[in-house]
Amino acid sequence: QVQLVESGGGLVQAGGSLRLSCAASGRTSSGYRMAWFRQAPGKEREFVAAINWMATNTYYADSVKGRFTISRDNAKNTVDLQMNSLKLEDTAVYYCATGRGPSYMTSPLMYDYWGQGTQVTVSS
């Protein structure tokens, strides 16, 4: 059983930065890849970034490359998403997810556990 709790969302101005954090707990969390997804109103849930257990591989959606950075701290069982140069189109509910497999898997169907999400709103 894995539990995920996101934090760090909020309202930011375009061009600003925000750091999201996801805390994982549970007996099955060890060895899992971790990822961030987001879902805007009226749109499908989309992949943002993923990282494997050893943090030796990361993968990003083209829309966030160069702006977002995913990292993890296994000692703390956390994964962070540093978001820089935020754009209006980054506005969405951001979800943390875990699962087994390659870090570059981008489908939500490949992830087993999800947090409740944290709202990120980028204003002009």
Side-chain angles (χ1 to χ4, degrees), residues 81-93:
L81 184 69
Q82 178 65 47
M83 305 184 294
N84 299 325
S85 302
L86 284 163
K87 304 175 180 179
L88 294 178
E89 52 264 41
D90 293 320
T91 296
V93 176

Side-chain angles (χ1 to χ4, degrees), residues 12-44:
V12 298
Q13 191 172 4
S17 298
L18 198 63
R19 188 177 185 89
L20 306 182
S21 183
C22 173
S25 62
R27 59 180 175 84
T28 61
S29 63
S30 179
Y32 275 48
R33 69 182 186 274
M34 301 188 75
W36 288 94
F37 289 78
R38 66 187 182 186
Q39 188 167 19
K43 300 182 67 176
E44 297 290 325

Side-chain angles (χ1 to χ4, degrees), residues 48-68:
V48 176
I51 188 168
N52 69 350
W53 175 249
M54 297 301 296
T56 53
N57 295 101
T58 57
Y59 190 73
Y60 298 92
D62 289 340
S63 60
V64 305
K65 284 182 179 178
R67 300 189 299 118
F68 291 10

Side-chain angles (χ1 to χ4, degrees), residues 2-14:
V2 176
Q3 295 82 42
L4 302 173
V5 180
E6 303 97 335
S7 62
L11 175 65
V12 298
Q13 191 172 4

Side-chain angles (χ1 to χ4, degrees), residues 9-10 16 18 29-30 40 43 48-49 61 68 71 74-76 79-80 98 101 107-108 120-121 124:
L18 198 63
S29 63
S30 179
K43 300 182 67 176
V48 176
F68 291 10
S71 61
N74 292 340
K76 297 180 179 180
V79 59
D80 290 354
T98 68
S107 172
V120 172
T121 302
S124 60

